[in-house]
Amino acid sequence: MNDCIFCKIANGIIPSQKMYEDEKMIIIKDINPQAKLHYLAIPKEHFCDITELSKNSPETLTHMFSVIADKKDELGFKDGMRVITNVGENGCQSVKHIHIHLLGGEKLSEKMG
Ligand code: 5GP
Ligand code: ZN
């Protein structure tokens, strides 16, 4: 997608602080962290949200969670984390390229869900 900010980040057109990269995905630092540690796991292929990713490329979704599981200690989430993906209008999704928020590095205060 030409005008998608996360496609541009995934392709290196817009710089980001990359924590991890492979052929299918990246993990970057969120530009506006909501916790001591706040990363975004983003697939390189464009899908608007997790439902579209799950329908069209379930193997990518599985891969992403497998990487998150493998890397969680290294990323600083040994003592736990919150994994969030916002979907659509009511979910307050602002960037329409699926991304999984990884939050932690401290005891998180607000609990939803
Ligand atoms: P959403 O509201 O769509 O679930 O989350 C979008 C997230 O992307 C927000 O946490 C926001 O701070 C982050 N974000 C938006 N633009 C950029 C950017 O250019 N670089 C990085 N690293 N994060 C971004
Ligand atoms: Zn995109």
Side-chain angles (χ1 to χ4, degrees):
M1 284 258 296
N2 281 342
D3 59 351
C4 170
I5 193 163
F6 285 176
C7 281
K8 287 182 181 161
I9 286 176
N11 289 317
I13 296 163
I14 292 177
S16 65
Q17 286 186 273
K18 278 199 190 101
M19 308 301 294
Y20 175 81
E21 178 166 21
D22 65 26
E23 71 290 353
K24 284 187 187 302
M25 66 178 284
I26 53 174
I27 298 177
I28 62 169
K29 284 192 182 175
D30 195 291
I31 205 169
N32 181 25
Q34 302 298 307
K36 198 166 168 192
L37 297 178
H38 186 174
Y39 303 126
L40 301 171
I42 305 173
K44 290 189 172 176
E45 195 174 354
H46 182 95
F47 295 104
C48 68
D49 62 37
I50 196 169
T51 68
E52 289 301 312
L53 177 62
S54 175
K55 263 192 277 183
N56 293 290
S57 189
E59 67 285 358
T60 301
L61 186 55
T62 302
H63 173 74
M64 290 177 76
F65 274 95
S66 154
V67 169
I68 290 166
D70 284 349
K71 299 282 165 195
K72 81 175 176 59
D73 289 4
E74 217 175 287
L75 290 170
F77 299 124
K78 201 169 184 297
D79 297 326
M81 65 199 290
R82 190 166 295 157
V83 179
I84 294 174
T85 188
N86 296 317
V87 179
E89 181 91 16
N90 282 2
C92 301
Q93 181 183 4
S94 60
V95 178
K96 306 292 190 285
H97 177 135
I98 166 38
H99 48 282
I100 299 166
H101 295 262
L102 309 174
L103 297 135
E106 61 184 333
K107 183 90 173 176
L108 301 171
S109 53
E110 289 173 39
K111 192 169 183 299
M112 276 189 92

